[in-house]
Amino acid sequence: MQIPDHKTKIVCTIGPASSSEEVIRELVLAGMNVARINFSHGDFESHSEVIRRVRRIAADLDRPIAILADLPGPKIRIGKLEKEPIMLHKGNFVTLTVDEILGNEKRIPVNYKQLPESVTPGSLIYLSDGFIQLRCLEISGKDVICEVLVGGQLYSQKGLNLPGAKIFIDPVTGNDLKILEFALSEGIDTFSISFMESVEDIRKVRDFAAARGKPVYIVAKIERRQAVENIQEILKETDALMVARGDLGVEIPIQEVPSVQKELIYSAKLLGIPVITATHMLASMTDNIRPTRAEATDVANAILDGTDAVMLSEETAVGNYPVEAVEMMAKIAKTTENWRSRTKWGLDTIIKGIAEREMSVDEVITLQVHEALQKLPVAAVLTPTRSGATPRRISRFKPETWILALSRVPRTYSFLSLSYGVYPVLVEETIESWEKEATEKAKKLEFVKSGDIVIFTQGPSLGKPGGTNMLKILTLE
């Protein structure tokens, strides 16, 4: 097989531009590791077909490809416009209404019935990812009368943000639970929660799935100020993090987004929690064959921050160049990873942060793996795992060497597709010797050959999750 030339994982949103069997196959070959299904759009029938296609192509190509179901949450949007786009001009007045009408430049419908209760005179209201800014002047029944502070073109169904306002909708909505029920029936076990604010939102999804006998992985999307403020509690409960910079850049001052991104990634990495950095990464490639220099730099900086994965949204969902966007992401990742390997960028910070925490035996073993990788020409790290914790912890050090994570648990195998530098391998239920199995698999996949040095880790019990307490350095025969 052809070993990937980069270790940063790539998440692709599947949409009209990428849902065909041909394009999905090209996305996988270009470097897609995770297919994101955005349930804000489409219907269950079309999503079911996409899920089957992704699985069929992953099996055909023998590639580990995870599927991430994105629960839409309480996204506030404007309604349908009579003609679009409409143009809102600075200094003009416009009325937002919860009445179901066709909108125009004077009167725009909103799908959030509690809008008049959430705003007060002086409140700022943002439309279309914050590019249009309004100020509330007056509330009259179902109407909110506003002045346009920053104008622009507006299309139907664009988002509306109310930074700092009380939102009278549960982050996990009834519609989310219907989607969750459907996705569970399709065998999906990884879900991202939109607009979440606290650990209770994670528990609601986890408990709903558990009541149906389905353990799930949760990706907490950080896109509200409350989530940023509650991040330490969220990190104790979530399985992964997404820095969702679109709405986050409206909910908090946009100039704070870069530093918040760095803090979120660092906090997650200390705990071995995988992170996805998302939104507007290569947005200009929705329409153009090449990204801007700023976008290329943004992707590189996210990788240098320590993100495990970078995500494409409209670029692959509705863009003109979905495959080229993935190829570009892979090229940026490869170049950035090579530079980081030469300079050891950011490594001291994460090592110091880990060392300052109370360390378990598992933590010490993964630190020893890192130290061995600095001193020896190791071809691969082989880690049998039930929970995925050990390969995720080793991944924090961003090693130049691939981590082959062998698991008998399909959901662990799938979820490890999110972790930097981890190549998951699904193995048979009965394993007589993990060391023999791991080395044979690594040879078969052409990650190693006879004469290579490998690191092998294992726990004290084949049936006990976690508890890695052994490290062996082997020279392969």
Side-chain angles (χ1 to χ4, degrees):
M1 85 168 233
Q2 185 175 355
I3 298 172
D5 63 2
H6 64 282
K7 298 179 176 66
T8 302
K9 302 304 178 68
I10 300 176
V11 182
C12 297
T13 304
I14 306 300
S18 55
S19 58
S20 70
E21 187 147 348
E22 178 185 1
V23 176
I24 291 173
R25 183 178 295 272
E26 290 183 20
L27 292 178
V28 173
L29 293 173
M32 177 176 76
N33 305 103
V34 180
R36 171 179 173 251
I37 310 296
N38 184 359
F39 280 89
S40 295
H41 307 284
D43 54 40
F44 286 170
E45 183 178 356
S46 61
H47 290 316
S48 181
E49 182 57 35
V50 167
I51 292 165
R52 287 195 294 271
R53 285 174 189 158
V54 171
R55 288 178 174 152
R56 185 167 58 246
I57 292 164
D60 287 347
L61 297 175
D62 195 21
R63 299 285 184 94
I65 305 295
I67 298 177
L68 171 64
D70 193 303
L71 303 177
K75 178 73 171 179
I76 302 174
R77 298 181 184 275
I78 69 164
K80 182 71 176 175
L81 301 175
E82 188 172 3
K83 296 179 181 179
E84 54 184 318
I86 61 172
M87 187 69 189
L88 300 182
H89 296 279
K90 179 180 178 180
N92 285 0
F93 301 102
V94 62
T95 297
L96 304 178
T97 181
V98 299
D99 285 334
E100 296 182 8
I101 62 168
L102 285 176
N104 53 42
E105 288 85 351
K106 297 293 185 182
R107 197 169 169 82
I108 299 172
V110 176
N111 71 349
Y112 174 47
K113 296 299 184 184
Q114 290 80 16
L115 177 66
E117 301 169 48
S118 289
V119 298
T120 58
S123 295
L124 294 178
I125 301 171
Y126 294 85
L127 305 177
S128 192
D129 288 334
F131 288 105
I132 296 173
Q133 300 176 24
L134 313 177
R135 178 190 289 122
C136 172
L137 299 177
E138 180 185 345
I139 299 150
S140 177
K142 297 180 180 181
D143 294 346
V144 176
I145 302 164
C146 303
E147 178 187 4
V148 180
L149 300 182
V150 178
Q153 288 187 340
L154 182 64
Y155 289 82
S156 298
Q157 306 300 322
K158 284 296 183 179
L160 181 150
N161 292 86
L162 304 169
K166 173 66 175 175
I167 305 298
F168 298 96
I169 313 177
D170 191 326
V172 181
T173 66
N175 183 51
D176 287 334
L177 297 181
K178 291 178 184 176
I179 293 167
L180 185 57
E181 185 92 65
F182 162 78
L184 290 172
S185 72
E186 291 285 335
I188 292 178
D189 54 28
T190 305
F191 296 86
S192 52
I193 304 177
S194 301
F195 303 105
M196 61 160 299
E197 297 179 351
S198 72
V199 294
E200 294 307 318
D201 304 323
I202 298 173
R203 290 171 185 157
K204 184 172 182 178
V205 171
R206 210 185 291 283
D207 290 348
F208 184 91
R212 288 148 181 80
K214 306 283 189 179
V216 295
Y217 289 109
I218 301 297
V219 180
K221 292 174 69 175
I222 308 303
E223 50 195 335
R224 279 195 172 160
R225 178 179 289 279
Q226 293 93 326
V228 175
E229 293 171 351
N230 294 330
I231 191 60
Q232 294 307 320
E233 290 301 314
I234 289 170
L235 286 171
K236 294 176 184 177
E237 189 76 26
T238 192
D239 301 298
L241 213 63
M242 182 188 294
V243 187
R245 304 175 306 175
D247 284 283
L248 182 62
V250 181
E251 291 284 324
I252 67 174
I254 196 166
Q255 65 270 19
E256 294 180 12
V257 172
S259 56
V260 168
Q261 172 177 308
K262 287 173 165 47
E263 290 170 4
L264 292 173
I265 292 173
Y266 177 74
S267 296
K269 297 320 294 174
L270 287 182
L271 301 173
I273 292 173
V275 182
I276 305 167
T277 303
T279 321
H280 295 157
M281 300 221 78
L282 298 178
S284 68
M285 286 195 74
T286 305
D287 301 306
N288 302 306
I289 192 67
R290 287 171 60 82
T292 67
R293 278 68 172 169
E295 287 168 342
T297 303
D298 177 43
V299 174
N301 280 330
I303 295 169
L304 294 175
D305 287 344
T307 196
D308 289 84
V310 285
M311 192 173 98
L312 295 164
S313 298
E314 64 267 30
E315 301 96 328
T316 51
V318 296
N320 294 326
Y321 305 101
V323 176
E324 290 84 352
V326 177
E327 291 171 343
M328 179 57 66
M329 196 75 94
K331 290 176 184 177
I332 297 168
K334 176 184 177 182
T335 302
T336 305
E337 291 165 19
N338 289 341
W339 183 84
R340 178 169 56 195
S341 295
R342 294 196 306 271
T343 62
K344 308 301 179 186
W345 177 271
L347 192 56
D348 290 343
T349 303
I350 191 68
I351 292 174
K352 181 182 178 182
I354 292 170
E356 288 175 348
R357 301 175 66 245
E358 184 176 345
M359 297 184 71
S360 62
V361 173
D362 306 55
E363 294 274 15
V364 172
I365 291 292
T366 58
L367 190 58
Q368 289 177 334
V369 169
H370 164 70
E371 291 174 351
L373 289 172
Q374 306 310 301
K375 305 296 183 182
L376 296 170
V378 176
V381 178
L382 312 179
T383 62
T385 182
R386 178 174 291 273
S387 69
T390 297
R392 284 195 292 270
R393 287 184 178 129
I394 297 172
S395 170
R396 292 177 297 182
F397 301 106
K398 301 297 182 282
E400 299 176 43
T401 304
W402 278 98
I403 307 159
L404 267 69
L406 294 86
S407 184
R408 295 179 294 194
V409 184
R411 59 188 294 268
T412 299
Y413 159 80
S414 176
F415 189 63
L416 284 170
S417 292
L418 269 178
S419 292
Y420 177 96
V422 176
Y423 193 93
V425 180
L426 190 63
V427 297
E428 298 295 329
E429 182 64 27
T430 302
I431 303 294
E432 293 183 3
S433 167
W434 276 106
E435 184 178 315
K436 179 181 178 183
E437 179 76 13
T439 54
E440 287 181 354
K441 284 285 187 183
K443 284 183 177 179
K444 182 179 179 181
L445 292 169
E446 300 180 1
F447 280 87
V448 300
K449 60 185 184 303
S450 295
D452 281 345
I453 296 173
V454 300
I455 292 175
F456 175 75
T457 69
Q458 190 170 314
S461 167
L462 294 180
K464 178 184 176 184
T468 297
N469 70 347
M470 182 186 74
L471 178 155
K472 294 176 72 174
I473 299 174
L474 310 170
T475 300
L476 300 181
E477 297 181 354

